[in-house]
């Protein structure tokens, strides 16, 4: 009988231990959270986790107790995270359970907490107003935000450095988020005059951003107050420096031209000149294009060409090529191709080096079309200095075809001489760069470097002599219409008669025979 009693007691004890173990396992998350909060009671994230655990257990009393402990324990200055989120979540819990009065009391207390930043307090005010809006309390929301941005004259007279030392409650008026929400509510619920008062107050306190100025101007434009809208944009572009004023300038210019088109052309020109005076030249391409379009559509084409010329010489060098092409097309359309010569001459001097070849080819084609062979040849000579024959063959191929069609033996030889010279220049640059890099890596003795230099010079002389010999002695590889032979002995076998062959030396031979 005693053994049976012991078995029963042992079984009860085992069940009790298992029950205790299960109880601990069920509370594991809560206990871990408690340990972390003992280590750092100002950890906002852990307090949120603790509340979530109690919400999952469907224990509203524990949830409220956890929120109350959190807002009392967390020091806003020492907080790890955003302490205002605890107050907002606490109020939202009451609101979700249809207790708006308690939610208001919590948020009202939250507005008096000494947060580290104005942004935290501003977020509380915005959440407070949004809660009122969710319950259709529009007037209360407006009153809340108006109260939030109130500022005393004493604070306004203080220096900026002294204002930063004030409590956050006295600095909320500097937060643009609260002001923007107030302006939106006034625009939706109030009148145009009351909304204007809010925006003008923001401008007076210098708490506006470029986007707020754009919103203000857009509101006035929708109300058909166009001049007031332009006045706001004028204040905006004078209040902000580039690049913050970029959208303001572009909007101002677009809206003004769209509204008045050519009826106030002088005022529009003044606006564009004012904009170009404040916008860095390298970033002014959109403004130059709008200015040129205004002159083209409503002003004088001569003025449009002057705008293009100013733009092409001042904008970022990487963007000049496309602008020059548009400039040339406009000049061709309105003034004829002969008026594009000065533009081409300016282009080859002002575009990036990698784009000189294309401009030179276009310019040479123009002169060839106009019958100016010598001018076209001079352009090819200029452009060839920037084109490596081994990598950029387009200009050289076109020049070759040009000389075959319009040149003679002397001009063709001059082209070949220039080609060899330019090729050697580019090769020397490449070799010089390679030697410099290799020398920095090796840091070898000076004698070794001198030997490498001498070897390279000997190799270059050998290559140059070989090329000269090939050009002088080898027959031309050109097809019909090209110069067939440039020097050397007559070929042993007679070539087939080519009707397009250029006969260069016959006249000279006849003259010599007559003289003899």
């Amino acid at each position: 009988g005693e053994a049976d009693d012991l078995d029963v007691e042992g079984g009860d004890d085992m069940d009790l231990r298992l029950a205790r173990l299960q109880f601990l396992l069920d509370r594991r998350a809560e206990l871990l959270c408690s340990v972390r909060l003992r280590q750092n009671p100002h950890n906002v994230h852990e307090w949120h986790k603790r509340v979530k655990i109690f919400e999952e257990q469907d224990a509203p009393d524990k949830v409220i107790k956890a929120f109350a402990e959190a807002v009392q324990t967390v020091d806003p200055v020492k907080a790890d995270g955003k302490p205002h989120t605890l107050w907002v979540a606490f109020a939202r819990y009451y609101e979700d359970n249809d207790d708006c009065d308690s939610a208001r009391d919590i948020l009202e207390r939250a507005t008096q907490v000494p947060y580290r930043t104005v942004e935290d307090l501003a977020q509380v005010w915005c959440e407070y107003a949004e809660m009122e809006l969710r319950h259709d309390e529009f007037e209360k929301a407006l009153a809340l935000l108006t109260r939030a941005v109130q500022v005393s004259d004493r604070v306004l007279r203080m220096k900026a450095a002294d204002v930063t030392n004030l409590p956050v409650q006295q600095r909320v008026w500097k937060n643009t988020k609260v002001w923007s929400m107030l302006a939106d509510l006034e625009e939706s619920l109030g009148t145009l005059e009351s909304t204007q008062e809010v925006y003008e107050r923001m401008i007076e306190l210098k708490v506006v951003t470029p986007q707020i100025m754009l919103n203000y101007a857009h509101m006035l434009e929708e109300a058909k107050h166009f001049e007031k809208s332009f006045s706001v944009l004028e204040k905006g572009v004078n209040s902000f420096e580039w690049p913050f004023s970029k959208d303001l300038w572009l909007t101002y210019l677009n809206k003004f031209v769209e509204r008045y088109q050519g009826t106030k052309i002088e005022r529009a020109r003044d606006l564009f000149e004012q904009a170009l005076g404040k916008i860095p030249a390298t970033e002014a391409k959109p403004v130059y294009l709008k200015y040129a379009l205004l002159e083209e559509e409503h002003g004088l084409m001569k003025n449009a060409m002057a705008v293009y010329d100013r733009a092409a010489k001042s904008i970022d060098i990487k963007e000049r090529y496309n602008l020059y092409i548009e400039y040339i097309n406009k000049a061709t359309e309105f003034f004829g191709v002969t008026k594009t010569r000065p533009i081409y001459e300016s282009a080859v001097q002002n575009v990036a080096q990698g784009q000189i070849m294309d401009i030179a080819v276009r310019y040479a084609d123009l002169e060839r079309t106009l019958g100016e062979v010598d001018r076209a040849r001079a352009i090819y000579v200029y452009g060839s200095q920037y084109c490596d024959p081994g990598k950029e063959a387009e200009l050289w191929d076109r020049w070759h075809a040009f000389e075959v069609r319009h040149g003679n033996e002397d001009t063709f030889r001059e082209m070949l001489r220039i080609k060899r010279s330019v090729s050697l220049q580019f090769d020397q640059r490449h070799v010089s760069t390679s030697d410099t890099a290799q020398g920095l890596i090796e840091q070898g003795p000076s004698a070794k470097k001198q030997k490498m230099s001498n070897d390279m010079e000997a190799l270059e002389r050998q290559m140059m002599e070989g090329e000269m010999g090939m050009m002088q002695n080898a027959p031309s590889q050109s097809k019909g219409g090209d110069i067939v032979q440039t020097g050397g002995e007559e070929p042993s076998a007679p070539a087939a008669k080519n009707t397009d062959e250029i006969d260069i030396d016959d006249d000279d031979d006849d003259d010599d025979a007559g003289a003899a």
Side-chain angles (χ1 to χ4, degrees):
E2 293 180 1
D4 295 339
D5 292 340
L6 289 173
D7 291 341
V8 171
E9 290 178 1
D12 291 342
D13 184 59
M14 183 61 70
D15 292 341
L16 181 60
R17 290 175 183 273
L18 290 173
R20 287 177 177 174
L21 178 60
Q22 186 62 43
F23 179 70
L24 288 173
L25 290 175
D26 292 341
R27 295 187 60 207
R28 179 177 179 275
E30 177 186 344
L31 295 174
L32 285 174
C33 190
S34 298
V35 171
R36 294 193 184 98
L37 287 174
R38 279 198 295 272
Q39 293 174 346
N40 182 11
H42 307 292
N43 190 328
V44 175
H45 179 65
E46 287 299 328
W47 280 111
H48 280 296
K49 286 176 63 176
R50 186 175 182 83
V51 169
K52 187 176 181 180
I53 291 169
F54 292 142
E55 286 179 344
E56 292 174 351
Q57 295 176 2
D58 196 17
D61 293 340
K62 291 184 177 181
V63 171
I64 294 172
K65 183 179 179 182
F67 270 127
E69 290 179 3
V71 297
Q72 291 176 1
T73 304
V74 175
D75 186 343
V77 178
K78 302 178 182 178
D80 183 9
K82 298 287 188 180
H84 73 274
T85 58
L86 291 170
W87 288 97
V88 172
F90 194 6
R92 189 63 180 262
Y93 184 77
Y94 274 111
E95 181 190 354
D96 292 342
N97 288 277
D98 301 325
D99 190 354
C100 292
D101 292 335
S102 298
R104 290 189 181 96
D105 291 341
I106 292 168
L107 289 172
E108 197 66 42
R109 288 165 52 197
T111 60
Q112 305 305 317
V113 175
Y115 299 103
R116 277 182 300 187
T117 64
V118 176
E119 185 63 30
D120 291 345
L121 181 56
Q123 190 66 35
V124 171
W125 280 110
C126 291
E127 292 288 346
Y128 197 174
E130 287 177 3
M131 187 195 75
E132 298 292 0
L133 292 175
R134 284 193 293 269
H135 295 85
D136 299 332
E137 298 287 351
F138 305 116
E139 294 300 327
K140 287 185 178 180
L142 268 175
L144 279 173
L145 294 176
T146 303
R147 179 160 62 96
V149 296
Q150 283 181 348
V151 55
S152 64
D153 293 337
R154 180 184 65 85
V155 174
L156 291 177
R157 289 194 297 268
M158 294 175 66
K159 296 181 180 179
D162 297 332
V163 172
T164 56
N165 296 325
L166 293 174
V168 289
Q169 280 73 20
Q170 298 183 41
R171 290 187 282 138
V172 182
W173 61 273
K174 296 175 69 70
N175 185 269
T176 57
K177 186 174 184 179
V178 179
W179 277 107
S180 297
M181 189 173 182
L182 176 59
D184 291 342
L185 284 179
E186 282 289 357
E187 190 172 347
S188 302
L189 307 173
T191 62
L192 180 64
E193 289 73 17
S194 63
T195 308
Q196 283 184 258
E197 289 177 2
V198 172
Y199 278 114
E200 291 297 334
R201 181 62 171 166
M202 293 168 69
I203 295 173
E204 179 185 353
L205 296 176
K206 298 181 179 179
V207 293
V208 291
T209 64
Q211 186 59 52
I212 289 175
M213 298 298 285
L214 288 173
N215 294 341
Y216 186 15
H218 182 67
M219 181 198 72
L220 292 172
E221 182 186 3
E222 288 186 335
K224 308 300 182 184
H225 294 282
F226 298 105
E227 281 300 328
K228 288 185 178 180
S229 175
F230 294 145
S231 176
V232 170
L233 291 172
E234 184 77 26
K235 289 181 182 178
V237 296
N238 291 327
S239 300
F240 299 97
E241 297 295 331
W242 190 268
F244 307 106
S245 61
K246 178 179 180 180
D247 291 337
L248 287 166
W249 271 119
L250 295 179
T251 302
Y252 191 8
L253 296 172
N254 286 336
K255 295 294 184 182
F256 190 89
V257 173
E258 179 184 342
R259 171 66 180 167
Y260 294 112
Q261 297 183 356
T263 57
K264 295 189 177 182
I265 187 68
E266 289 300 329
R267 184 177 169 189
R269 286 171 179 159
D270 290 341
L271 277 180
F272 276 103
E273 292 296 339
Q274 184 182 353
L276 293 173
K278 293 190 175 183
I279 299 175
T282 55
E283 301 183 31
K285 181 181 177 181
V287 179
Y288 276 118
L289 292 177
K290 293 178 187 297
Y291 193 3
L293 184 63
L294 171 72
E295 291 290 356
E296 181 181 343
E297 293 181 348
H298 306 292
L300 300 174
M301 199 61 210
K302 180 180 68 174
N303 293 345
M305 293 294 100
V307 172
Y308 276 119
D309 188 61
R310 286 172 56 190
K313 294 178 181 178
S314 60
I315 65 172
D316 186 37
I317 193 170
K318 296 179 181 178
E319 298 180 339
R320 290 180 186 176
Y321 173 78
N322 292 330
L323 187 64
Y324 266 115
I325 296 301
E326 185 172 351
Y327 184 12
I328 290 168
N329 292 337
K330 293 290 184 182
T332 304
E333 179 182 355
F334 291 97
F335 299 102
V337 292
T338 57
K339 296 296 184 180
T340 61
R341 280 174 173 164
I343 305 174
Y344 275 115
E345 291 174 2
S346 174
V348 294
Q349 297 175 15
N350 291 299
V351 299
Q353 182 171 327
Q355 295 163 333
I356 291 177
M357 181 190 72
D358 188 71
I359 295 291
V361 168
R362 289 171 177 265
Y363 191 10
D365 286 346
L366 170 67
E367 295 294 357
R368 183 180 57 80
T369 303
L370 296 175
E372 298 286 350
V373 175
D374 291 338
R375 291 177 62 91
R377 182 176 293 111
I379 295 165
Y380 279 126
V381 171
Y382 178 84
S384 66
Q385 307 303 311
Y386 303 93
C387 300
D388 185 353
K391 296 180 180 179
E392 299 165 321
E394 181 182 357
L395 181 139
W396 296 101
D397 293 342
R398 285 175 174 264
W399 193 3
H400 181 279
F402 172 82
E403 293 296 351
V404 167
R405 184 171 182 179
H406 302 284
N408 53 44
E409 183 177 9
D410 292 336
T411 60
F412 192 84
R413 283 178 174 173
E414 180 67 11
M415 180 202 72
L416 294 178
R417 186 194 67 78
I418 293 174
K419 185 174 183 180
R420 288 194 301 272
S421 175
V422 171
S423 179
L424 186 58
Q425 288 177 7
F426 277 97
D427 289 343
Q428 286 176 339
R429 291 178 193 174
H430 176 70
V431 171
S432 176
T433 304
S434 301
D435 284 350
T436 303
Q438 188 69 17
L440 290 173
I441 294 172
E442 294 180 359
Q443 294 295 321
S446 58
K448 183 176 179 181
K449 293 181 182 178
Q450 184 65 35
K451 182 179 183 301
M452 290 175 62
S453 177
N454 294 339
D455 292 345
M456 187 57 68
E457 290 176 2
L459 180 60
E460 288 175 2
R461 285 196 299 270
Q462 182 180 352
M463 291 174 60
M464 186 174 179
E465 291 172 359
E467 289 182 4
M468 293 289 289
M470 290 173 59
M471 296 304 302
Q472 292 176 358
N473 300 324
S476 173
Q477 299 294 324
S478 57
K479 299 179 180 179
D482 290 0
I483 298 172
V484 177
Q485 189 169 346
T486 59
E489 299 178 356
E490 291 292 328
S492 57
K497 181 65 175 176
N498 188 347
T499 56
D500 295 329
E501 179 179 347
I502 299 176
D503 191 359
I504 295 175
D505 296 331
D506 290 349
D507 293 339
D508 295 338
D509 293 343
D510 293 342
D511 293 341
D512 294 342

